Amino acid sequence: MNLDFTQFIPSMPYILKGILVTLQIVLLAGILGFALGIILSLFKISSIKILSWFADVYTSIFRGTPLVLQLMLIYYGSPQVLGYQIEPYTAAILSFALNSGAYISEIIRAGILAVDKGQQEAAMALGVPYGKMMWDIILPQALKNILPALMNEFITLTKESAIVTTIGVMDIMRRSYQVGAENYSFFEPLLIAGLIYYLMVITLTFLGKALEGRMRRSD
């Protein structure tokens, strides 16, 4: 096998610009997905049947279908459904947020149910409103317990973001593919893209462990 990475050195700044695109998509989708996940998790534990039913159906659909299918439905289906074409960048954030929200809702629901029920009963006995109890007492404890699972979801989202290349978003993968096409050699730039993703995941893993350790010390 004859590999020549030197020919791709001039293209490295172009490929590395894709990191910012990837991080922007992952960060915005992660924030929206987390907010959606909280809402869905509260729906799931709600005594109102229609809310719990809606959350369960939503989770079933988005966990039971491929993410790339959801991405293409939103992007390629938008002209037919909405009457105008959604931008690739917007479609990527929207599809990732909707998908991530389904997974995060299950993580948060499990975290809430893991909190001692006595705390909820005590808060109710003291007359603390349900919303305030959840926001100030239950959710903070649940988030500490589920932080590793949330970080794992964020890491998974970072890796899966590579599929945005299918709709033309200029992320790391798309730029690497273009560089390979220009040089009629795809193996080296794709290896470079793989290394970049690996370093991003390792960095996120270390950050997650550092944050988890800091939260444990604050207990």
Side-chain angles (χ1 to χ4, degrees):
M1 184 181 296
N2 185 21
L3 299 180
D4 181 15
F5 287 91
T6 57
Q7 61 179 321
F8 298 102
I9 293 178
S11 302
M12 283 302 298
Y14 177 74
I15 295 176
L16 292 175
K17 285 181 181 179
I19 295 177
L20 182 59
V21 177
T22 297
L23 289 178
Q24 285 176 339
I25 292 174
V26 171
L27 183 60
L28 290 175
I31 292 173
L32 292 175
F34 180 71
L36 178 59
I38 292 178
I39 295 172
L40 289 173
S41 65
L42 294 177
F43 281 4
K44 290 179 180 181
I45 63 175
S46 173
S47 58
I48 303 175
K49 293 296 183 181
I50 187 66
L51 294 181
S52 60
W53 177 84
F54 170 80
D56 288 339
V57 171
Y58 179 97
T59 301
S60 176
I61 292 174
F62 279 90
R63 292 179 66 183
T65 56
L67 176 56
V68 66
L69 172 63
Q70 299 162 19
L71 174 64
M72 289 186 173
L73 280 174
I74 291 174
Y75 179 67
Y76 293 112
S78 59
Q80 185 175 352
V81 176
L82 303 177
Y84 65 92
Q85 178 65 67
I86 295 179
E87 292 295 323
Y89 181 81
T90 304
I93 294 173
L94 185 57
S95 60
F96 289 163
L98 293 174
N99 180 273
S100 184
Y103 286 91
I104 291 176
S105 68
E106 282 294 292
I107 296 173
I108 296 176
R109 182 186 67 85
I112 291 174
L113 295 179
V115 176
D116 186 5
K117 291 183 178 180
Q119 298 193 39
Q120 183 173 346
E121 294 172 354
M124 293 175 65
L126 293 172
V128 179
Y130 180 82
K132 186 174 180 60
M133 174 192 66
M134 275 293 173
W135 187 257
D136 293 336
I137 301 174
I138 306 300
L139 278 177
Q141 296 181 68
L143 291 178
K144 283 187 178 182
N145 296 330
I146 63 176
L147 181 61
L150 287 177
M151 285 303 303
N152 186 60
E153 171 62 22
F154 195 70
I155 288 172
T156 300
L157 187 62
T158 302
K159 293 186 293 183
E160 290 182 342
S161 68
I163 68 171
V164 299
T165 188
T166 59
I167 60 172
V169 176
M170 299 301 292
D171 67 329
I172 301 168
M173 188 65 70
R174 186 73 175 182
R175 290 169 184 265
S176 299
Y177 180 83
Q178 286 186 340
V179 170
E182 292 171 359
N183 292 272
Y184 302 100
S185 179
F186 292 93
F187 198 74
E188 295 93 335
L190 290 179
L191 281 180
I192 293 172
L195 177 61
I196 293 173
Y197 279 110
Y198 177 74
L199 293 175
M200 290 172 64
V201 168
I202 291 299
T203 301
L204 289 173
T205 302
F206 279 118
L207 290 175
K209 289 182 178 179
L211 180 58
E212 183 181 353
R214 185 171 182 177
M215 293 184 71
R216 285 179 177 177
R217 288 194 299 269
S218 66
D219 289 341

